[in-house]
Amino acid sequence: MSNPKDIRIEQYDYPLPDEKIARHPLAVRDECKLLMCRNGVISEHIFKDLPSLLPTPATLVYNNTRVINARLRFTKASGGKIEIFCLEPVSPADYATNFSSTDRCTWKCFVGNSKRWKEGKLALSLIIDGKSVILEAERLTKDDRGSVVELSWNNGSYTFADIISAAGEIPIPPYLNRETEESDSRDYQTVFSRIDGSVAAPTAGLHFTPELLSEVDRHGITRSEVTLHVGAGTFQPVKAENIGGHDMHSEFIAVRRDTIDTLANTSDPIIAVGTTSVRTLESLYHIAVLIKEGKWNGEVPQWMPYDENQPEITRKEALGILMDYLDRLGETTLYASTRIIIAPGYTYRIVDGMITNFHQPCSTLLLLVSAFIGDSWIDIYNYALNHNFRFLSYGDACLFLK
């Protein structure tokens, strides 16, 4: 196997005309187009046809993360505008505990117009349930990767979840080249979103409706949930010529023991909804390997999957290791972080099929897709470009089956 680190990102470039990028979703989510590729054969469908296209029985796994109103806009007394983009919690570091805070919390953030904020606190006046609340921001540290910002408020009746819901706005992807609109608060959430934490939506899930999920159930397809809180790094371009020079972002994942048990005890195909579910499921295998070797420290390293010296274990054995690990700890949920990069040369261990959108040129998400379907991604994307498919977050979908 050639070294994936040597892959030149220019091999995963393609021309994407601006008019192919969907700025808004369709009015009816499951009426979007669906391109299916099974064993190299391309066919066109409508997304609501999905249940009849999936193998039956099968297990469908989707990401239940919810996008937070991560973008906060402050105005200095001088009139200068400062934007704070919340990325991930620092203190408390646990997402749920952080969102439950009632006076202050600390986040790693991007700061827009950072040079204008040299010192002091920023303040934002809010009205929540008819009551006045003052939100303050103080920058504690700053480096090339961002700032650590303490956010505090003067009314302990409200949690940080309440504060950010009232003060912030949904951070839509930068490539949409427009301001957030009121409709994005609805459109940029999946119908199964329920765990706060993401700064970007798991967009393959945006095509599902409650009616379609019911149809999935009627077809005898098992549904399971995982959590991966999508970070802003998902939009980070690969700037190095070779992907070995790209520093993959870390993302928080959580998977319940009963979900792991379901996956361990099925011989049916496992179909991941979106690249975030793919990363979560595939990370489970590598967490198990690290546990088996006594090397687990809470995070899956970026290049670990390509270490030829790691032991080979089966999917069932890997998932069994995870359940035993949780049982020893007396825990019902596996919490971890993952930095894995899935690129050509990767061997898929858990996922048998995936639903995803059309991704940006030269992106790590396109590398992930190529790792699954090989160089046929070129034919698939050319087909989509020539057959009026809509691209990126609010665009159409793909179904890849082996």
Side-chain angles (χ1 to χ4, degrees):
M1 179 183 73
S2 59
N3 191 337
K5 293 183 181 181
D6 295 332
I7 293 173
R8 296 180 64 82
I9 194 59
E10 66 183 14
Q11 298 172 254
Y12 295 88
D13 196 6
Y14 69 92
L16 178 58
D18 186 69
E19 63 270 17
K20 295 293 184 180
I21 299 173
R23 308 294 177 195
H24 297 87
L26 297 182
V28 181
R29 293 177 179 233
D30 58 7
E31 290 287 345
C32 74
K33 296 176 73 171
L34 174 66
L35 183 152
M36 183 171 76
C37 184
R38 187 199 300 264
N39 296 323
V41 179
I42 297 173
S43 56
E44 279 192 46
H45 307 271
I46 302 300
F47 196 83
K48 66 182 179 182
D49 298 332
L50 179 70
S52 63
L53 299 173
L54 291 174
T56 51
T59 299
L60 190 70
V61 182
Y62 49 78
N63 186 1
N64 62 15
T65 189
R66 184 170 180 81
V67 184
I68 62 173
N69 288 7
R71 181 174 280 122
L72 301 167
R73 300 182 189 271
F74 289 82
T75 302
K76 296 177 62 179
S78 63
K81 305 293 184 182
I82 305 294
E83 179 181 302
I84 296 176
F85 192 128
C86 297
L87 297 176
E88 61 184 59
V90 175
S91 178
D94 174 72
Y95 278 86
T97 305
N98 193 292
F99 285 119
S100 298
S101 300
T102 55
D103 60 349
R104 67 188 64 245
C105 57
T106 307
W107 280 69
K108 180 180 177 182
C109 303
F110 286 147
V111 177
N113 287 333
S114 180
K115 292 181 180 178
R116 296 186 180 181
W117 188 18
K118 291 183 170 57
E119 59 183 17
K121 293 184 178 181
L122 304 175
L124 181 63
S125 297
L126 307 174
I127 300 296
I128 306 177
D129 299 331
K131 298 177 182 178
S132 176
V133 182
I134 304 297
L135 171 65
E136 292 186 326
E138 180 178 10
R139 181 153 59 184
L140 304 181
T141 65
K142 174 186 175 183
D143 59 32
D144 292 341
R145 290 180 172 268
S147 299
V148 174
V149 176
E150 182 181 75
L151 297 159
S152 59
W153 54 101
N154 64 348
N155 190 326
S157 301
Y158 300 107
T159 65
F160 183 59
D162 298 325
I163 297 296
I164 202 169
S165 178
E169 63 183 54
I170 287 284
I172 60 173
Y175 49 66
L176 293 184
N177 291 319
R178 64 171 176 82
E179 292 296 316
T180 299
E181 300 172 8
E182 184 177 348
S183 59
D184 292 310
S185 296
R186 176 192 67 251
D187 294 340
Y188 203 55
Q189 301 283 10
T190 67
V191 295
F192 35 72
S193 65
R194 60 186 184 85
I195 309 295
D196 285 340
S198 280
V199 300
T203 54
L206 295 178
H207 308 295
F208 285 87
T209 63
E211 295 78 15
L212 183 56
L213 291 174
S214 295
E215 192 65 21
V216 166
D217 294 340
R218 282 194 289 273
H219 276 72
I221 297 167
T222 300
R223 290 194 278 132
S224 291
E225 299 182 1
V226 296
T227 303
L228 180 145
H229 290 323
V230 188
T234 192
F235 302 121
Q236 182 181 346
V238 180
K239 296 179 180 178
E241 290 187 4
N242 299 333
I243 67 169
H246 181 71
D247 185 18
M248 197 68 178
H249 56 288
S250 178
E251 290 178 315
F252 168 90
I253 62 175
V255 184
R256 289 181 55 83
R257 188 194 185 283
D258 55 7
T259 296
I260 298 171
D261 189 25
T262 296
L263 300 175
N265 290 291
T266 183
S267 57
D268 303 333
I270 296 174
I271 312 298
V273 178
T275 57
T276 62
S277 297
V278 171
R279 285 193 85 205
T280 305
L281 291 171
E282 291 298 310
S283 292
L284 294 180
Y285 175 88
H286 299 289
I287 293 170
V289 170
L290 289 167
I291 292 172
K292 181 180 176 70
E293 293 190 307
K295 298 178 180 178
W296 176 237
N297 66 359
E299 183 174 83
V300 182
Q302 176 171 341
W303 295 105
M304 181 205 163
Y306 308 95
D307 181 359
E308 296 180 352
N309 295 319
Q310 67 174 313
E312 286 285 331
I313 57 179
T314 65
R315 179 168 81 184
K316 188 174 182 66
E317 182 183 357
L319 297 171
I321 289 171
L322 298 180
M323 288 189 288
D324 290 343
Y325 173 75
L326 290 174
D327 290 345
R328 289 198 306 271
L329 296 178
E331 300 288 347
T332 59
T333 303
L334 176 69
Y335 298 102
S337 295
T338 183
R339 286 188 182 272
I340 62 168
I341 183 168
I342 299 178
Y346 180 85
T347 299
Y348 276 85
R349 309 288 188 166
I350 306 290
V351 172
D352 300 305
M354 70 177 71
I355 300 162
T356 188
N357 284 15
F358 293 96
H359 302 294
Q360 288 181 287
C362 299
S363 64
T364 57
L365 303 182
L366 188 52
L367 291 172
L368 180 151
V369 167
S370 179
F372 190 80
I373 61 174
D375 288 341
S376 63
W377 77 266
I378 300 171
D379 296 330
I380 289 168
Y381 273 57
N382 282 336
Y383 182 97
L385 287 166
N386 292 320
H387 289 79
N388 297 317
F389 279 78
R390 303 159 73 245
F391 278 60
L392 306 186
S393 294
Y394 278 147
D396 297 317
C398 305
L399 170 61
F400 300 133
L401 299 172
K402 293 182 177 178

